[in-house]
Amino acid sequence: MTIGILGGGQLGYMLALAGYPLGLHFRFLDPSPEAPVGRIAQRVTADYTDRAALEKFSSGLELVTYEFENVPVEAANFLTERVPVYPPPAALEAAQDRLAEKDLFRTLGIATTEFASVSNPGELDAAVKTLGLPAVLKTSRMGYDGKGQWILRTAEDVAKAKSELPPVKLILERFVPFTRELSVLAVRSRNGETAIYPLVENHHRNGILRLSLAPAPRLEPSIQRAAENAARRVLESLKYVGVLAIEFFEHRGELLANEMAPRVHNSGHWTIEGAVTSQFENHLRAVLGLPLGSTAAAGHCAMLNLIGDLPESSEVLAVPDAHLHLYGMLNLIGDLPESAEVLAVPDAHLHLYGKSPRPGRKLGHVTLRAASPERLALRLSELPAFFHRPDFCLDAALAPSASLRA
Ligand code: AMP
């Protein structure tokens, strides 16, 4: 039985790794000839809008799913005429547009920060007047990992934003001085069965996830219940099938939904070693209509993302007399830790996605799983020096949510 997956990045890679023990085969479609899944599965290199390629890709597949939420909705709709596609393209459509997504949350009674639609300088002024400053201006579509967004703190920031406003639909959101960021992973099967993982605490740097702690430390049961209620409402309203992630801000003891991803999610990587059933396996079980596996945590986990931090070539070459040599090796700076050093830490698990390093690119992750929060803290302190840089947020892990204890 062959499953088709749109997108061939690390999420697809880990879906395939979870599917092989279930006897599944995979075929991926990705525009990049470098897509990491090429190492382990059939890969079609074509644009998502290439109908002839989509037609060929879909031939003989049991179903199609996706690991990338910016797959064009037309491509998903085109495929639904040939083969079942899960999650439903309606979920893709809602998640691709921040305004539609927040409208959906509101319609379902899920709290969000205040927001307004902005398409021109006049609307930005009006929105700032209503929402106040600070506020966050984001492109409504195609933003991820903090790209396409600006924090407006002062009238000067607003004036600058007005003069540089891109000609696309934008959303202005009231800035939330949150206590912490949490995410929930929920899964709904083709036969309507649902299951929800414990909430995860997330720490970002420059808009990119660096560290997840799971289950989220010091979590009030009422907060877990609120996240589960929100997730169930979205799952049922969209007749969703597969894993869905919703990201929240915890603010004044309540949850505000920020965004959702209709796919397996980076903040769920801990489930590979840290839950009875991983998000990847449960996504496959859901789309195939198989019974879901337990989402219970099996210990306490920290997941650290390994992000490429090579300098931008253009920045290096802007320096007179600078000569840049990129050999696909990692001599510039330690992009990746030494595997032996990571694996010398008991309870550490290393995942490398086989991607060539680029700044801001997710190259791999490390998960530590321990029997207690104290043991987890000990293991984190034993990580090699590579992880003791501030961008790994280890301080947050060693004194998680310090502000919550206040
Ligand atoms: P997003 O692309 O919406 O996930 O935003 C990336 C990151 O920016 C989030 O993880 C938050 O840390 C921050 N952020 C986004 N929106 C807001 C907001 N309305 N208030 C405060 N911080 C925000």
Side-chain angles (χ1 to χ4, degrees), residues 98 102 113 135-136 138 143-147 149 151 173-178 181 204 207 247 249 258-259:
R98 291 181 189 278
K102 286 211 163 57
T113 188
V136 188
K138 305 176 180 178
Y144 66 95
D145 284 349
K147 293 188 175 73
Q149 55 181 271
I151 297 190
E173 297 178 7
R174 180 173 286 161
F175 182 87
V176 183
F178 53 78
E181 294 188 73
H204 297 84
E247 296 182 57
F249 300 131
N258 178 38
E259 62 178 357

Side-chain angles (χ1 to χ4, degrees), residues 85-133:
V85 176
Y86 302 115
L92 204 55
E93 206 161 355
Q96 284 179 359
D97 185 326
R98 291 181 189 278
L99 284 160
E101 184 176 68
K102 286 211 163 57
D103 282 337
L104 175 70
F105 289 145
R106 287 287 179 100
T107 309
L108 297 174
I110 302 167
T112 68
T113 188
E114 294 296 318
F115 64 94
S117 163
V118 169
S119 324
N120 57 51
E123 285 181 8
L124 179 58
D125 271 335
V128 169
K129 209 165 162 200
T130 314
L131 303 179
L133 293 178

